[in-house]
Amino acid sequence: MQIAICGGERADGDVSIQGSKNAALPMLAASILTEDEMVFHRCPQIYDVEWMLALLRHLGVKATWESDTLTVQANHLQSHDILQKEAGRLRASILFLGSLLARTGSAKVHMPGGCSIGKRPIDIHMDALEKSGVQVSDWEEWLVCESGSKPETVEIHFPYPSVGATENLILYHVLGKGKARLKNTAREPEINSLCEMLRQMGAKISGEKTGNIYIEGVKKLHGIHTKIPADRIAFMTYAAMALGTQGKICLRTGGESFEPEQRYLEKAGCHFVAGTNEIIAEGTRGICPISFLKTQPYPGFPTDAQSIFLSLLSRAHGESVLCETVFENRFQMIPYLKKMGADIERMEQCAHIRGVTRLHGETVVATDLRSGAALLLAGAMAEGKTCVEKAENILRGYVEPVEQMKKMGLRVQWEEEES
Ligand code: UD1
């Protein structure tokens, strides 16, 4: 599938910010920690969530949609296996290690897949689980684990604040006996929303905002209704479209704040006015270069927004340097931006970007979710028609991106890919 976009229009309209992909996936993995019904409001209907539901259904979990409310109930688990077909699609499948071990005492999970943005090893997850008493009998194609005897207290220092490993260990320790102190944990907002949800379910967990998490396992967790937080990367993507096209859009946020995200976009020239339930993003003054910006774990600049900034800065009034420190393979879109007329030189993990006054439409490829969204932005900023092939990758994380862009007044549509 491809998305065709005719550039040159200024964004002008309204966008509702969807529920967050990276918050929803661990929250869904946590839904098997209780036998009760769990209700997720504002759950994004995206491929990654659908694939996560396929994993849950394979385990025997009931899952039903009503509009964007998802109801899940794991009262009878009929399996503790996450098979290759399902796990291969999605990195977040590894989160079932923690929640299955906590719920059933054993887990068999095929090595996870996900976007092609780097090697994505799992050593931090496995080392921390082993320190927590988990016995791993296979660690090649399959991860075969038994919970073994959980130590009464355990202290684990993460060598790097991995988001997934932090989530996995939280999921493992919240249920059952034992106390755990996790140090140097990830502090991404998605960790906070997972902990907040678990506390509402009855978990004893604290300290997540400090990177030093304390958990006291409980016997039982209960079902709740919860709302998935708004997606900070979708917020940045659509605000960047206002800036990149020198337009003005209204982002319906449901009252949630995006201050850290706004700060990065403000550096690039975006102007924001916050109301009660919405934030106006305006880019009428054009794109400012950023002399140096590098991705880092939260509260640093998010790697998931790096591709968006690569597109934006390629049209800035001056030179920028953008470095990637989190995933080694997140510059796959540079050749496509260059094909569209961008002046970018890659030196190892940094991109030296000299802003150009025009980009032109081309056929390009969405090699992964975020670069796909960034190429849509490049297409909106370019003269003429851009076709983004493999655009199904964008549906992994964005709810109806074409419809959203149309609501912003941009000329965009789905097309069949020519074979
Ligand atoms: C999550 C997000 C992803 C985001 C990333 C960083 C989800 C579903 N995905 O991915 O969108 O870009 O956080 O904010 O929430 N690493 C190891 N060993 C490990 C684990 C990670 O070396 O055991 C490395 C990774 O290869 C990578 C870095 O640590 O270089 C960050 O990975 P991590 O924070 O774990 O990201 P994910 O949880 O995979």
Side-chain angles (χ1 to χ4, degrees):
M1 288 197 290
Q2 69 182 26
I3 296 176
I5 171 157
C6 292
E9 303 291 329
R10 283 174 197 254
D12 175 18
D14 261 49
V15 176
S16 292
I17 300 301
Q18 65 183 71
S20 158
K21 167 178 97 70
N22 286 357
L25 298 177
M27 288 162 100
L28 287 174
S31 68
I32 64 166
L33 294 173
T34 174
E35 293 182 7
D36 298 347
E37 195 174 81
M38 292 287 296
V39 180
F40 298 97
H41 299 288
R42 192 171 56 188
C43 191
Q45 282 170 298
I46 51 177
Y47 282 6
D48 274 24
V49 164
E50 288 298 346
W51 294 339
M52 200 71 175
L53 290 184
L55 302 182
L56 283 166
R57 290 193 178 108
H58 177 80
L59 296 175
V61 174
K62 285 180 279 204
T64 49
W65 286 102
E66 207 179 314
S67 182
D68 65 354
T69 295
L70 176 67
T71 304
V72 170
Q73 189 167 15
N75 45 351
H76 299 294
L77 290 188
Q78 65 200 21
S79 160
H80 59 229
D81 295 357
I82 301 292
L83 304 181
Q84 179 176 20
K85 183 171 148 253
E86 293 99 350
R89 286 168 167 170
L90 178 82
R91 174 78 179 173
S93 56
I94 193 150
L95 299 180
F96 282 110
L97 267 188
S99 57
L100 272 172
L101 281 166
R103 170 79 187 265
T104 69
S106 54
K108 187 176 170 199
V109 177
H110 196 276
M111 284 296 273
C115 267
S116 59
I117 54 178
K119 286 197 291 287
R120 307 189 91 170
I122 54 161
D123 52 314
I124 303 174
H125 300 244
M126 302 312 285
D127 287 351
L129 285 170
E130 285 188 320
K131 284 186 180 128
S132 305
V134 171
Q135 287 163 3
V136 185
S137 56
D138 196 354
W139 183 353
E140 290 291 323
E141 205 177 340
W142 290 90
L143 302 161
V144 183
C145 304
E146 297 282 330
S147 58
S149 65
K150 215 176 190 180
E152 253 175 56
T153 59
V154 62
E155 185 169 305
I156 294 163
H157 187 100
F158 285 87
Y160 179 90
S162 154
V163 174
T166 302
E167 292 164 345
N168 230 343
L169 270 286
I170 291 172
L171 294 171
Y172 181 58
H173 283 286
V174 283
L175 198 60
K177 284 188 188 145
K179 294 172 184 161
R181 186 168 292 286
L182 310 176
K183 291 185 166 176
N184 194 31
T185 49
R187 287 180 287 157
E188 268 66 6
E190 294 75 26
I191 304 286
N192 304 342
S193 46
L194 175 65
C195 292
E196 187 50 42
M197 179 186 95
L198 289 165
R199 269 193 294 272
Q200 285 172 22
M201 293 168 72
K204 290 187 182 161
I205 177 165
S206 57
E208 68 275 9
K209 288 189 182 166
T210 65
N212 187 351
I213 296 178
Y214 181 68
I215 306 170
E216 221 178 298
V218 295
K219 259 194 184 154
K220 205 171 181 276
L221 294 170
H222 58 81
I224 56 160
H225 284 234
T226 189
K227 189 173 182 184
I228 308 283
D231 193 310
R232 60 195 174 103
I233 306 300
F235 174 90
M236 293 179 93
T237 306
Y238 294 121
M241 287 187 185
L243 172 60
T245 62
Q246 300 198 5
K248 179 178 176 180
I249 63 166
C250 174
L251 298 146
R252 306 250 169 234
T253 57
E256 283 176 52
S257 104
F258 291 94
E259 274 167 30
E261 292 75 21
Q262 283 177 217
R263 275 201 297 277
Y264 293 113
L265 283 151
E266 277 164 354
K267 275 192 184 175
C270 197
H271 179 65
F272 291 99
V273 180
T276 318
N277 286 312
E278 70 289 314
I279 297 174
I280 308 286
E282 200 177 341
T284 42
R285 284 169 296 184
I287 306 165
C288 307
I290 301 179
S291 54
F292 184 75
L293 185 62
K294 69 172 176 187
T295 63
Q296 275 178 314
Y298 194 86
F301 175 63
T303 173
D304 286 346
Q306 185 257 96
S307 309
I308 300 292
F309 273 66
L310 200 57
S311 278
L312 269 182
L313 297 174
S314 71
R315 282 279 284 103
H317 309 299
E319 293 185 19
S320 308
V321 175
L322 182 53
C323 299
E324 174 59 58
T325 75
V326 181
F327 288 109
E328 66 280 11
N329 204 15
R330 260 209 154 146
F331 279 142
Q332 292 174 87
M333 65 179 286
I334 290 180
Y336 296 114
L337 278 178
K338 287 174 83 162
K339 191 178 173 194
M340 294 175 76
D343 183 353
I344 303 174
E345 193 182 347
R346 180 174 171 182
M347 291 169 84
E348 313 249 314
Q349 284 312 99
C350 293
H352 293 248
I353 311 158
R354 277 174 288 272
V356 293
T357 50
R358 61 180 288 272
L359 295 174
H360 56 85
E362 280 288 351
T363 296
V364 293
V365 180
T367 51
D368 63 82
L369 157 64
R370 301 300 170 190
S371 70
L375 287 168
L376 289 182
L377 165 63
M381 296 191 298
E383 289 169 18
K385 180 174 169 181
T386 295
C387 290
V388 181
E389 293 180 348
K390 293 201 181 161
E392 60 275 15
N393 275 329
I394 302 168
L395 300 180
R396 294 188 65 150
Y398 290 87
V399 177
E400 301 189 331
V402 166
E403 289 71 13
Q404 296 280 40
M405 288 174 74
K406 278 186 178 160
K407 282 191 212 152
M408 290 164 53
L410 300 173
R411 284 168 54 209
V412 55
Q413 62 181 29
W414 282 103
E415 282 182 354
E416 287 297 318
E417 246 170 60
E418 284 167 25
S419 51

